[in-house]
Amino acid sequence: MEAVASKPVIKAVALCGSTLRKGSCFNHGLRSAFQISKESVNGMEIEYIDISPVPVLNTDLEVDGTFPPVVEAFRQKILQADSVLFASPEYNYSVTGRKLSSLNCSADKAAAIVSAGGSFGGGLAQYHLRQIGIYLDLHFINKPEFHLNAFAPPAKFDSDGNLIDPQSKHRLKEVLLSLFAFTSRLKAGNC
Ligand SMILES: Cc1cc2nc3c(=O)[nH]c(=O)nc-3n(C[C@H](O)[C@H](O)[C@H](O)COP(=O)(O)O)c2cc1C
């Protein structure tokens, strides 16, 4: 019997740039993204990467072009991924800047940003992250955009941190589908 070629799986890594507390609404948002991708995005695997062990940039720790083991492990995860999903908070109208230097191994990958915050839903930070992505040679999907005003009614999360707002869940799904489609095109050289 002829073997049926299986569809290549798109590997995405998810990074949470917010506070490192367990209850971070960004961690909750990513958990919802995993759930939605499992249910609705056939062919994409998302792996959460915990950035907390990655130290603040200190080039004294880079010896002869080698990085500390935790940084190298982080770099390898990024290198092996097809795309990157950022859950970005907004701090003082911009990105936190945390650990972005370690991402300088992300060339030619597709990416998407989801953010949450106050009035602008973290949207201002998204534009700064896109600008940083130019140097990192990341290719962000343009549409749909996902910025969530976490504080305006209706409630977006339940007390366990599950994303419960149907409109937000729908938009998050659309982001993941768009990231999946764009990553597939990039991998196939159709961009
Ligand atoms: C110093 C500081 C500045 C902040 N600036 C903004 C901002 O400009 N826009 C915004 O939407 N949220 C702002 N926030 C809120 C944070 O982005 C974030 O939503 C909050 O720290 C909760 O994150 P967590 O749920 O991941 O712990 C700020 C928070 C702090 C502590």
Side-chain angles (χ1 to χ4, degrees):
M1 202 169 70
E2 213 174 296
V4 181
S6 59
K7 227 171 119 188
V9 170
I10 297 294
K11 283 198 278 179
V13 287
L15 307 176
C16 173
S18 192
T19 60
L20 301 176
R21 72 185 179 94
K22 278 206 183 75
S24 162
C25 62
F26 294 91
N27 276 330
H28 292 325
L30 283 181
R31 205 176 65 214
S32 305
F34 297 143
Q35 195 55 40
I36 291 170
S37 81
K38 265 195 211 146
E39 290 163 7
S40 314
V41 191
N42 188 16
M44 182 157 78
E45 280 171 9
I46 305 182
E47 183 186 357
Y48 172 74
I49 309 225
D50 180 10
I51 64 165
S52 58
V54 179
V56 171
L57 177 65
N58 177 356
T59 46
D60 286 346
L61 301 176
E62 294 172 21
V63 183
D64 298 330
T66 60
F67 300 93
V70 282
V71 177
E72 188 54 35
F74 176 79
R75 287 170 51 83
Q76 287 305 319
K77 291 275 186 199
I78 303 293
L79 284 167
Q80 285 155 24
D82 300 308
S83 53
V84 184
L85 175 66
F86 292 93
S88 175
E90 184 175 284
Y91 280 82
N92 305 316
Y93 284 3
S94 190
V95 295
T96 56
R98 181 187 291 145
K99 328 283 191 191
L100 274 173
S101 51
S102 312
L103 266 173
N104 199 1
C105 56
S106 51
D108 215 21
K109 294 192 193 299
I113 316 170
V114 294
S115 68
S119 328
F120 305 117
L124 301 173
Q126 288 207 13
Y127 296 117
H128 285 177
L129 187 52
R130 284 175 183 274
Q131 205 174 349
I132 293 165
I134 295 169
Y135 180 72
L136 297 174
D137 198 16
L138 283 167
H139 310 296
F140 284 104
I141 58 164
N142 287 327
K143 298 278 174 173
E145 293 180 300
F146 183 96
H147 23 82
L148 185 75
N149 185 335
F151 307 109
K156 307 300 187 308
F157 297 95
D158 68 14
S159 54
D160 293 325
N162 299 305
L163 186 66
I164 49 166
D165 176 46
Q167 254 195 338
S168 305
K169 283 171 82 168
H170 177 72
R171 277 195 298 129
L172 187 52
K173 182 173 111 181
E174 295 295 310
V175 168
L176 296 173
L177 286 168
S178 175
L179 180 62
F180 175 70
F182 183 57
T183 311
S184 304
R185 274 171 52 200
L186 198 62
K187 270 189 92 166
N190 291 336
C191 287

